[in-house]
Each structure stands twice: as structure tokens, then as C-alpha cells.
């Protein structure tokens, strides 16, 4: 009998395919159980692909809504978890591409207004200024600085290279699994990983040259440190299915 994932409702020991089929057939609880099983890993992939909790939460939500609605299109030619990862990664990549398009838009006319710098504007309230975290020297440890450097460098890669590295080097997926998730050839994943690692080596050359490297991966291995720093109160993954 399958061992339930912590937090999964009791009495649901069907496998992923059976749960997805039950959802398509109208079971109101099946998709929630499926999501609970894979939420943590899907969240980790979304967080590392987007690089920040806000976009990760939105990307995960977009992906789960798409999976919920398109479950009937699942062809069964891959594992359900592979299909879920594909949908979430694609949703995150869409957000990354959309952000690049927005970044190319003209700057707002009120950019010089000091009261609006660092503000989050809500339609139902005045701008809420996001406070900067205190510059406490105790929080600026060397390991944290290096981790931030690695993640910053990762953010400079193209979206496709970043997604491949996240899946293979940070989440430990085999190249073939990553290719199935990204819906591309195995050789394409290998090429993206190779180019991505080469670019990271350039961006982090000063760190790689030190006695204690920042956790750059060997091919196919997990990263030594992959926590994503978050300013303020970080958003977590959604706690319930759509």
C-alpha cells in the first residue's frame, strides 16, 4: 500500500493516475489529494525557476488551474507528476517572458515621485511602502552572500537554460525526465545545461577560484545550496487545489 504524504487526507491511497481519472470523472476531492502529494516539489521548482516567491506562487497557481481544467487532455504517455511539472514550469516560463516584455515598456511618468518608490499600489488603498530589511551585519554571512550571488547569476540565464538547470542540477531529475517535463529532446536539455553551466562559471569566476566554491553543481547533481532568499514575509505555495 502506498505511504501517504504528510498532510494528505486519510483514506486516499489511489495512485496518481487513478486520482486524475477520478477528477476527470467528477470526484470533487481527487485533484486536491493529487496536489497535496506533489505541492512541495512543484513549489520548489516554481520558486527556483522564477527566482522570487511572488512569481513562484502565481506561477504555481496558474499551472495548477491549467492542470485542473485540462486534466482530460492528459494522454498518459508520461507519469502524472511529470505532466504536472511540465504545466507548472511552462506557467513559470510564461511569467518570466511576460516580465521581460513589461520591462521593455516605457517608464511611468511619476517615476521621480519619491513617495512612490518601493511602493506597492493597490486599487483599494494608498500605496503601501515596502520597508527595507535592516542592514544587520550578522545577516551578511559569507555563505549567504555566495548563495545570493549564485541565485543572482542564475537569474541572468535565459528562461529555458534556467529551467533545465533547476530541474537537473537543483531538483536532481535525470536528463530524460527533465526533457519530458520541458517537452523537448534529451539533447536539447543537455545543451541548455552545458551552456548554462558555462555561463554561470563566467559570472561566478571569482567565487569558483576560492577555496570554498559557492555550490556550483557537477553535471546531474544537486546544488549544495539552493535556498532562495526572500525579502520580507515570503509567500508560500497555495495550500489548496483550485
Amino acid at each position: 500500500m502506498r505511504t501517504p504524504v504528510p498532510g494528505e487526507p486519510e483514506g486516499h491511497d489511489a495512485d496518481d493516475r487513478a486520482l486524475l481519472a477520478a477528477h476527470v470523472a467528477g470526484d470533487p476531492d481527487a485533484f486536491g489529494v493529487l496536489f497535496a502529494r506533489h505541492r512541495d516539489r512543484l513549489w520548489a521548482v516554481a520558486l527556483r525557476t522564477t527566482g522570487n516567491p511572488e512569481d513562484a506562487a502565481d506561477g504555481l497557481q496558474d499551472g495548477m488551474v491549467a492542470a485542473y481544467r485540462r486534466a482530460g487532455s492528459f494522454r498518459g504517455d508520461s507519469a502524472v507528476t511529470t505532466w504536472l511539472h511540465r504545466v507548472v514550469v511552462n506557467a513559470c516560463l510564461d511569467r518570466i517572458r511576460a516580465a521581460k516584455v513589461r520591462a521593455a515598456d516605457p517608464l511611468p511618468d511619476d517615476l521621480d515621485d519619491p513617495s512612490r518608490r518601493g511602493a506597492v499600489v493597490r486599487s483599494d488603498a494608498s500605496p503601501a511602502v515596502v520597508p527595507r530589511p535592516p542592514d544587520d551585519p550578522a545577516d551578511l554571512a559569507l555563505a549567504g552572500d555566495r548563495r545570493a550571488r549564485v541565485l543572482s547569476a542564475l537569474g541572468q540565464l535565459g528562461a529555458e537554460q534556467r529551467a533545465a538547470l533547476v530541474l537537473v542540477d537543483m531538483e536532481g531529475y535525470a536528463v530524460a525526465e527533465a526533457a519530458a517535463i520541458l517537452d523537448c529532446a534529451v539533447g536539447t536539455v543537455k545543451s541548455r545545461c552545458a551552456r548554462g553551466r558555462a555561463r554561470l562559471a563566467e559570472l561566478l569566476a571569482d567565487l569558483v577560484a576560492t577555496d570554498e566554491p559557492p555550490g556550483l553543481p557537477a553535471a546531474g547533481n544537486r546544488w549544495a545550496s539552493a535556498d532562495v532568499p526572500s525579502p520580507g514575509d515570503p509567500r508560500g505555495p497555495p495550500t489548496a487545489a483550485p
Side-chain angles (χ1 to χ4, degrees):
M1 181 178 294
R2 193 187 64 83
T3 302
V5 174
E8 179 179 317
E10 296 182 1
H12 290 84
D13 51 8
D15 63 24
D16 289 348
R17 287 176 182 266
L19 283 172
L20 194 62
H23 164 64
V24 173
D27 186 329
D29 300 321
F31 194 86
V33 176
L34 185 65
F35 175 63
R37 283 183 187 175
H38 302 291
R39 177 184 59 203
D40 289 347
R41 199 167 190 191
L42 291 170
W43 167 248
V45 169
L47 187 58
R48 289 161 179 160
T49 300
T50 60
N52 69 82
E54 292 292 329
D55 286 340
D58 291 338
L60 180 56
Q61 178 173 290
D62 290 349
M64 287 297 95
V65 169
Y68 183 90
R69 293 174 175 171
R70 302 204 308 258
S73 67
F74 176 66
R75 300 188 302 272
D77 53 358
S78 64
V80 172
T81 183
T82 298
W83 177 71
L84 290 174
H85 276 75
R86 180 187 304 161
V87 175
V88 169
V89 168
N90 283 338
C92 291
L93 293 178
D94 286 344
R95 285 197 163 268
I96 292 172
R97 297 182 186 109
K100 289 183 178 179
V101 171
R102 289 195 300 270
D105 290 342
L107 294 176
D109 294 335
D110 58 1
L111 186 63
D112 292 331
D113 182 356
S115 66
R116 298 182 64 87
R117 293 175 185 170
V120 177
V121 180
R122 302 191 301 270
S123 59
D124 59 344
S126 58
V129 177
V130 179
R132 293 183 57 190
D135 294 327
D136 186 350
D139 295 333
L140 303 179
L142 180 60
D145 179 66
R146 290 184 173 185
R147 181 166 57 249
R149 283 282 311 279
V150 171
L151 292 169
S152 176
L154 186 66
Q156 297 183 50
L157 302 181
E160 286 75 16
Q161 289 181 10
R162 187 191 316 176
L165 283 178
V166 165
L167 291 171
V168 175
D169 287 343
M170 299 177 75
E171 290 301 313
Y173 280 100
V175 172
E177 290 181 283
I181 291 171
L182 298 173
D183 198 20
C184 63
V186 168
T188 300
V189 174
K190 290 181 178 179
S191 177
R192 290 175 181 174
C193 286
R195 292 198 301 270
R197 293 179 191 125
R199 178 59 177 153
L200 288 180
E202 294 175 1
L203 295 170
L204 302 171
D206 59 317
L207 297 184
V208 175
T210 63
D211 293 336
E212 299 180 2
L216 287 175
N221 292 331
R222 292 180 180 273
W223 289 46
S225 177
D227 294 336
V228 178
S230 171
D233 295 329
R235 283 181 63 179
T239 56

